[in-house]
Amino acid sequence: MDKRTDISIYDYSGRPWESELGAYCQEILRGIGWYHSSTATASQPDIGSVVFTGVSPGQGVTTLAVSTAVIAARDLTTRVCLLDCSEARDVHQYFDFADTVAGLDSRLAKHIRTTTHGNLDILSLSDAREIRNSQRMKLAIRRLFRCFDLVVIDMPARYRSRWRSVLLAESDLSLIVADQDCPQMLLENLANDLGKERARNVGVIVNRD
C-alpha cells in the first residue's frame, strides 16, 4: 500500500443520495478538490476520474458511486459520466433516462445515455463489446475522460473484464469501499493488487452503518 491519498476515511449510511448519504458524497467530492471550502462551487481539481471498487459484493460500492455522481451533477456546474462496469448494468435501476447523446469515440457514443439529472450521463461498458483491443480501449477511455469534467466508475468486486486494468491505470484515483468489519488484510491485499495494475492512487472509504 505504498500509494495512498490524503483523503480522509468517510462514514456513510447506505441510504439514497436525497438523505444523509448526500452530505457524505459532498465530503468525498470536497476531499478530492471538487468544492471550494464549504460552498457548492466547482473548483478545478487534479482528480477528474474516480474508481469505486470493493473487496466483495454488498459493501455499498454501487450505492456510493451512483450517489457521488448524482451529487456532483446536481450541485456543481460540471458534466459527469457514471461508468457502469457491471454485466447486470447495476446503476440503471437508479435512473430515468432522457434522449441518447452523441460524442466521444463512435464505438462508445451509441451506448451513452443521458439521465434526467441533466449533467449526468451513463455509459455501460457491458454494451461496448465491439472494443476488444487493449490499445483501442485505452484511447477510447482517454477520449471519454477528456469529454467529461468528472468520470465516476462503478467497478464491482471481482470485476475481471479487459477494461479493468485500463480503467485503473488511466483513472486519477481508486477508492476501496468496505464495511467496518472488513479485515484489514483484505483491504491491504486489494490495495496491493490495484497497485500492480498501475492504479495511480488508492484510498479507503469505510461504511460504519
Side-chain angles (χ1 to χ4, degrees):
M1 299 179 68
D2 54 325
K3 293 184 178 181
R4 297 300 298 267
T5 69
D6 293 329
I7 191 170
S8 301
I9 294 180
Y10 297 104
D11 300 344
Y12 78 101
S13 63
R15 291 188 287 273
W17 57 81
E18 287 86 356
S19 60
E20 288 90 344
L21 180 56
Y24 290 110
C25 293
Q26 288 176 332
E27 287 301 312
I28 292 171
L29 290 164
R30 185 174 292 113
I32 61 176
W34 273 99
Y35 283 85
H36 285 304
S37 63
S38 61
T39 65
T41 348
S43 59
Q44 295 181 345
D46 295 329
I47 303 295
S49 49
V50 182
V51 173
F52 286 87
T53 191
V55 173
S56 60
Q59 303 289 307
V61 173
T62 296
T63 300
L64 193 57
V66 167
S67 299
T68 301
V70 170
I71 293 297
R74 186 192 71 186
D75 290 359
L76 307 174
T77 54
T78 219
R79 191 178 180 200
V80 181
C81 179
L82 177 58
L83 196 57
D84 183 3
C85 294
S86 71
E87 288 293 324
R89 303 172 71 183
D90 290 339
V91 306
H92 286 63
Q93 64 183 304
Y94 293 92
F95 299 104
D96 294 320
F97 293 97
D99 297 329
T100 301
V101 296
L104 315 171
D105 184 289
S106 60
R107 289 157 297 193
L108 290 183
K110 60 186 176 183
H111 303 302
I112 292 272
R113 301 182 71 190
T114 190
T115 72
T116 52
H117 291 276
N119 291 332
L120 177 60
D121 294 332
I122 306 291
L123 172 61
S124 201
L125 281 184
S126 62
D127 295 334
R129 299 181 187 276
E130 64 268 36
I131 306 179
R132 300 178 183 277
N133 178 277
S134 58
Q135 188 61 30
R136 289 181 178 177
M137 288 179 176
K138 185 182 297 185
L139 293 174
I141 290 302
R142 287 178 178 176
R143 288 186 66 181
L144 177 77
F145 287 178
R146 287 197 297 267
C147 287
F148 289 90
D149 301 309
L150 177 64
V151 178
V152 177
I153 301 159
D154 175 30
M155 183 179 288
R158 302 169 189 156
Y159 178 67
R160 291 296 179 265
S161 164
R162 291 183 182 181
W163 289 100
R164 176 185 168 93
S165 294
V166 174
L167 289 168
L168 289 171
E170 295 296 324
S171 297
D172 298 319
L173 174 65
S174 296
L175 294 176
I176 301 171
V177 181
D179 64 37
Q180 60 182 343
D181 298 321
C182 183
Q184 179 70 21
M185 181 181 69
L186 293 182
L187 293 175
E188 292 179 358
N189 288 343
L190 178 54
N192 287 332
D193 288 343
L194 297 180
K196 290 175 184 176
E197 293 183 274
R198 296 182 295 148
R200 297 182 188 178
N201 299 285
V202 177
V204 176
I205 296 176
V206 178
N207 171 14
R208 301 191 189 278
D209 184 36

